[in-house]
Amino acid sequence: MKNLLTTLALTTLSLSTFAATSGSLNLSGSVSPKLSIVVNPNAASTTLDLSTSQSNLLVGTTLEKSNSKTGYTISVRSANGGKLGHEESNPADVLAYTMNYGSFSGSLTTSDQTAVDVNSTQIGGLSRDIKINYTGLAPEDMKSGSYADTVTFTITAK
């Protein structure tokens, strides 16, 4: 019986020295801001018939992506100030055009102009049409050759 009491006492002491304890692990992570805009021109953008007037001619689309929790803006600007310029860069040889994109409708300048203002996250992305308008001129009223402009779209987190 004495051995049984001794064993029972040792077992009790052993159990008390292995009492349950706990610890915690904090987990956290972060996601950096990501913004992108992809401009997808269509065939019409490089085969413009400048002798025929155009209204809302679809020349491309954009795919906007942003994970900014405060939204984003997209600005547009034109290298030639909203004019298709002749390849020889003569200021007189131009064809003016206007653009419709997002909430922007009008003449482009060489400075950034806000065209889109989004107050929410577009994680999956949003597609928008790019359309232009111009009054065609008779071929005999224009110098022969190529006419071009470059429009830049910039996405910025708010």
Side-chain angles (χ1 to χ4, degrees):
M1 179 79 154
K2 188 175 180 184
N3 283 341
L4 179 62
L5 288 176
T6 304
T7 303
L8 187 55
L10 288 175
T11 303
T12 303
L13 286 174
S14 295
L15 289 177
S16 65
T17 59
F18 294 110
T21 61
S22 66
S24 60
L25 171 66
N26 292 322
L27 300 173
S28 68
S30 63
V31 175
S32 59
K34 296 291 180 187
L35 294 123
S36 69
I37 185 165
V38 177
V39 179
N40 297 303
N42 65 19
S45 69
T46 57
T47 59
L48 298 172
D49 179 356
L50 302 182
S51 65
T52 303
S53 296
Q54 298 293 331
S55 178
N56 288 317
L57 175 65
L58 181 65
V59 292
T61 59
T62 60
L63 178 59
E64 309 161 6
K65 290 186 179 181
S66 168
N67 69 351
S68 171
K69 61 185 175 185
T70 55
Y72 61 94
T73 60
I74 295 179
S75 59
V76 293
R77 71 176 176 274
S78 158
N80 294 335
K83 297 176 180 75
L84 297 170
H86 190 271
E87 61 195 18
E88 294 176 356
S89 300
N90 181 345
D93 297 322
V94 296
L95 180 76
Y97 68 94
T98 60
M99 178 175 281
N100 300 330
Y101 176 73
S103 61
F104 180 84
S105 180
S107 299
L108 295 169
T109 66
T110 56
S111 300
D112 284 339
Q113 296 171 281
T114 300
V116 173
D117 190 342
V118 177
N119 290 319
S120 62
T121 302
Q122 291 292 332
I123 292 175
L126 182 62
S127 180
R128 292 186 200 273
D129 290 340
I130 306 166
K131 297 178 180 180
I132 63 169
N133 312 285
Y134 59 85
T135 302
L137 297 173
E140 58 270 13
D141 294 335
M142 298 178 74
K143 182 186 271 186
S144 67
S146 296
Y147 290 74
D149 189 18
T150 300
V151 179
T152 302
F153 297 79
T154 305
I155 187 169
T156 308
K158 288 184 174 183

